[in-house]
């Protein structure tokens, strides 16, 4: 691994609440100010997809790739021979976002989260020159994962240079992971689906990308049926998920993950506009889960980070700010009254 940090994931001191990634609007400074002002002990690098192609999560990550490029077609992002306007725009916006984060984290010391799309969701979204997803070409998947890993090494080094006191947490966004495992990603025609990818290959590829840092790596998915056990075997330090999608059949896997030392980034605050419950009510389900699993309430604070259920790009700016504040209050409620 290439991270210079000497802090192992297990000894890492996490904040109690953070965000998922995206925020509404297009002003990098406003977004960074809102995030750093809300999460004093666990800020993150905001994403602003409303700016257009290149600011979306796929385009943003394509901008990180090394010796691979993309451009926008009506159907989505497609591989290019050279960096064109769309790739340059993605890199420029990321630079703006890093400038803003650096401005509002002067003197900050503590955990800081950055997000990028993981290798399997990227392979499901990025089209090859023939218009089919890279997912259907094993060689393209390997090349894409290697390019992503190299790009992430550089990105993490840049974040550490700009925020020297940060202990960087890498979040890999994998909302398509379950569909990849189940063979549910549609081909370009829409009439067929790509075959399911072997679970061992999915796991080993995730492990290779995870190896870009010695620090903590979180895998995020707001889709149903998050494969907790597979992610644990792939080396994920934490899993970020929509808590409302958890069902009883997932509970054993969640319990085993927690007992194995995995951090749960529990998305309990709705990510789109609506009434917010009281902070205690927002984490009631987490307390109930702990009781059903027979886990000690005393372990809650050290095992759970409170987040919105997904990114906040679809929320109004006022609601997004309220949701961030609510996450902090809900986390405080959980710490003060774990039972």
């Amino acid at each position: 691994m290439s991270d210079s940090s000497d802090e192992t994931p297990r000894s890492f001191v996490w904040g109690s609440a953070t965000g998922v990634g995206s925020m509404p609007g297009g002003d990098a400074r406003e977004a960074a100010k809102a995030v750093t002002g809300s999460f004093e002990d666990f800020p993150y690098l905001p994403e602003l997809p409303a700016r257009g192609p290149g600011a979306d999560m796929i385009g943003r990550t394509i901008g990180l790739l090394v010796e691979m490029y993309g451009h926008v077609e009506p159907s989505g992002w497609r591989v290019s021979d050279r960096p064109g306007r769309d790739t340059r725009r993605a890199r420029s916006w990321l630079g703006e976002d890093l400038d803003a984060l650096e401005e509002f984290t002067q003197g900050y010391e503590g955990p800081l989260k950055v997000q990028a799309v993981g290798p399997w969701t990227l392979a499901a979204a990025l089209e090859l020159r023939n218009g089919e997803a890279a997912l259907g070409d094993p060689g393209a998947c390997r090349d894409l994962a290697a390019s992503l890993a190299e790009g992430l090494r550089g990105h993490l080094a840049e974040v550490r240079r700009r925020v020297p006191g940060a202990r960087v947490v890498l979040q890999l966004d994998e909302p398509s992971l379950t569909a990849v495992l189940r063979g549910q990603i549609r081909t370009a025609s829409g009439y067929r689906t790509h075959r399911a990818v072997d679970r061992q290959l999915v796991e080993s590829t995730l492990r290779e990308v995870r190896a870009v840092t010695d620090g903590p790596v979180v895998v995020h998915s707001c889709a149903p049926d998050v494969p907790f056990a597979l992610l644990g075997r792939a080396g994920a330090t934490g899993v970020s998920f929509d808590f409302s999608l958890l069902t009883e059949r997932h509970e054993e896997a969640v319990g085993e993950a927690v007992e194995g030392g995995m951090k749960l980034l529990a998305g309990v605050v709705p990510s789109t506009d609506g009434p917010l419950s009281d902070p205690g009510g927002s984490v009631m389900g987490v307390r109930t889960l702990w009781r059903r699993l027979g886990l000690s309430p005393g372990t809650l604070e050290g095992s759970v980070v409170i987040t919105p259920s997904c990114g906040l790009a679809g929320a109004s700016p006022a609601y997004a700010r309220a949701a961030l504040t609510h996450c902090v209050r809900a986390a405080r409620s959980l710490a003060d009254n774990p039972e």
Side-chain angles (χ1 to χ4, degrees):
M1 297 188 190
S2 60
D3 187 349
S4 60
S5 168
D6 59 1
E7 188 168 28
T8 65
R10 280 185 179 273
S11 67
F12 192 88
V13 179
W14 300 67
S16 59
T18 191
V20 172
S22 65
M23 290 284 285
D27 189 320
R29 291 187 74 257
E30 279 299 309
K33 183 178 179 182
V35 165
T36 56
S38 300
F39 299 121
E40 295 179 358
D41 64 353
F42 198 178
Y44 65 96
L45 176 64
E47 302 164 355
L48 299 171
R51 292 181 294 197
D56 60 299
M57 70 177 195
I58 299 297
R60 186 180 183 90
T61 301
I62 287 170
L64 293 174
L65 297 178
V66 173
E67 296 183 357
M68 289 187 77
Y69 315 103
H71 67 276
V72 178
E73 293 279 345
S75 53
W77 282 89
R78 185 170 294 182
V79 167
S80 297
D81 293 325
R82 57 184 63 84
R85 179 183 58 190
D86 296 327
T87 301
R88 289 195 295 271
R89 186 189 298 122
R91 292 173 176 173
S92 174
W93 274 329
L94 178 58
E96 283 182 26
D97 296 337
L98 288 168
D99 289 345
L101 182 73
E102 182 178 2
E103 178 183 349
F104 288 100
T105 52
Q106 293 294 310
Y108 175 74
E109 296 183 355
L112 170 69
K113 185 165 69 67
V114 298
Q115 306 82 221
V117 175
W120 292 108
T121 295
L122 194 59
L126 179 60
E127 300 173 358
L128 301 178
R129 290 172 183 83
N130 64 3
E132 291 290 354
L135 185 66
D137 183 330
C141 288
R142 284 193 300 272
D143 292 345
L144 191 56
S147 175
L148 174 63
E150 194 60 33
L152 286 173
R153 285 189 186 95
H155 181 47
L156 295 175
E158 175 70 3
V159 173
R160 293 188 193 99
R161 184 186 69 76
R162 288 171 176 264
V163 192
R167 299 193 297 277
V168 181
V169 177
L170 172 62
Q171 175 179 303
L172 296 174
D173 291 321
E174 284 282 13
S176 299
L177 182 59
T178 300
V180 167
L181 289 165
R182 291 181 175 175
Q184 295 172 335
I185 301 295
R186 294 205 166 274
T187 58
S189 70
Y191 295 120
R192 296 186 301 109
T193 56
H194 291 280
R195 67 177 60 184
V197 180
D198 180 77
R199 296 180 77 86
Q200 289 185 326
L201 178 58
V202 168
E203 184 183 319
S204 64
T205 302
L206 284 168
R207 193 180 301 116
E208 289 166 15
V209 175
R210 186 263 175 272
V212 302
T213 174
D214 288 329
V217 174
V218 170
V219 178
H220 167 74
S221 174
C222 48
D225 298 322
V226 175
F228 287 90
L230 183 152
L231 295 175
R233 292 192 302 271
T237 323
V239 178
S240 169
F241 61 102
D242 181 344
F243 191 83
S244 71
L245 298 179
L246 208 60
T247 66
E248 284 188 25
R249 65 192 173 89
H250 300 118
E251 289 181 2
E252 184 179 348
V254 172
E256 290 174 356
V258 171
E259 289 176 339
M262 184 176 280
K263 185 74 68 170
L264 300 183
L265 281 74
V268 300
V269 177
S271 57
T272 52
D273 290 43
L276 292 167
S277 70
D278 67 283
S282 292
V283 292
M284 188 182 304
V286 181
R287 293 193 189 98
T288 301
L289 173 65
W290 238 244
R291 284 195 297 271
R292 284 208 298 266
L293 292 173
L295 297 169
S296 166
T299 64
L300 257 175
E301 185 180 1
S303 300
V304 177
V305 176
I306 298 301
T307 74
S309 59
C310 205
L312 293 164
S316 67
Y319 177 83
R321 288 191 296 271
L324 301 186
T325 300
H326 193 83
C327 287
V328 174
R329 291 174 178 164
R332 193 172 302 131
S333 169
L334 197 62
D336 292 345
N337 182 21
E339 300 188 57

